[in-house]
Amino acid sequence: MDSAFTSYGHGAPCPYHHIRQFAAGLFLASGLACSALCLAAASAPDAAPAQAVSQPGTTAFNAADRMAITNLLGAFIDAMDERNVDLLIQYQTPEFTAEYHVFGSPSVTVVGRENFRAMIAKRFAYFETQGIGRRHIFTPPFFRKQTESSARIVIQYLVTSSTHGQNWRPTSSAKAEFGAVKRAGVWYFDSFTERTDAALDLPLEKMVPAPAPIQPS
């Protein structure tokens, strides 16, 4: 029998012999190619870690951390609008620092979480006695920086006011920058800087009542 054929019943040549040979060759070639790719991958350098500052629109960042920081921002703003001091303080580190740069007024810096607590509690109490409601309508955060343990984000927002549930009005627009740090797997804010685009509807001493260690700048 011709060695190019394989017996197929009663000594007849197999009609699928050439197809089988081709398939075997293709399988062998694909196996060799796969081995070469595996060797190349093993010898290639490790992938570069995500950069601290990624080009907007790229995906070179930790998505879970970014979502956590974005959620923290929403919780912080909601606690401000709901005047929940205890909840607001939970989102801050002990060294939290707040800077206020209000158009037409001297800048003010509040150093330390407990000093911020004292200031914001007085502010909320004043709003309550005057029947003042506040809402912040803000943009999604822009990440200036994000590493495994720290981040900086920027938002733009519109501050709105009402008095005794009436006379709703926009008060001012503003730009704010938050610093965030990750400790024991949880993100917190450690700094806040606000710059308004116009004078506010209340004197600065009412907006930022000054307990002792507040520092004018």
Side-chain angles (χ1 to χ4, degrees):
M1 180 180 294
D2 191 334
S3 60
F5 293 89
T6 301
S7 176
Y8 182 69
H10 306 291
C14 173
Y16 304 110
H17 175 71
H18 293 294
I19 296 175
R20 289 162 59 194
Q21 277 193 324
F22 174 77
L26 185 62
F27 179 79
L28 177 62
S30 64
L32 291 173
C34 181
S35 298
L37 287 172
C38 290
L39 287 172
S43 60
D46 292 337
Q51 298 299 309
V53 180
S54 59
Q55 179 69 23
T58 66
T59 57
F61 58 84
N62 184 305
D65 282 342
R66 183 156 296 195
M67 288 297 294
I69 296 165
T70 301
N71 192 51
L72 179 66
L73 172 65
F76 186 94
I77 298 295
D78 184 66
M80 285 283 290
D81 287 348
E82 296 302 319
R83 301 175 185 168
N84 191 328
V85 178
D86 292 334
L87 193 58
L88 188 62
I89 295 303
Q90 290 182 22
Y91 306 139
Q92 304 171 0
T93 61
E95 69 275 17
F96 179 83
T97 299
E99 296 181 20
Y100 294 89
H101 303 277
V102 178
F103 188 86
S105 300
S107 297
V108 171
T109 301
V110 184
V111 180
R113 181 173 63 191
E114 292 309 311
N115 291 323
F116 182 85
R117 176 200 286 272
M119 180 276 291
I120 207 69
K122 287 184 178 180
R123 177 178 175 178
F124 290 165
Y126 177 79
F127 284 179
E128 188 70 27
T129 60
Q130 301 300 308
I132 297 172
R134 278 284 205 256
R135 283 288 181 267
H136 296 76
I137 304 169
F138 63 98
T139 63
F142 160 56
F143 280 72
R144 289 193 186 277
K145 166 189 173 183
Q146 181 183 339
T147 69
E148 292 182 355
S149 59
S150 65
R152 296 201 71 82
I153 61 173
V154 175
I155 61 170
Q156 315 278 345
Y157 55 88
L158 179 67
V159 183
T160 68
S161 296
S162 63
T163 305
H164 299 293
Q166 300 179 355
N167 191 26
W168 180 93
R169 60 201 178 275
T171 301
S172 178
S173 55
K175 181 177 183 177
E177 183 165 349
F178 290 80
V181 293
K182 189 178 185 180
R183 295 178 179 172
V186 179
W187 285 94
Y188 302 91
F189 289 130
D190 66 349
S191 67
F192 165 77
T193 303
E194 178 185 76
R195 300 180 186 277
T196 68
D197 298 322
L200 296 173
D201 57 343
L202 294 168
L204 183 62
E205 62 268 20
K206 298 299 184 183
M207 292 295 299
V208 189
I214 291 185
Q215 304 171 356
S217 56

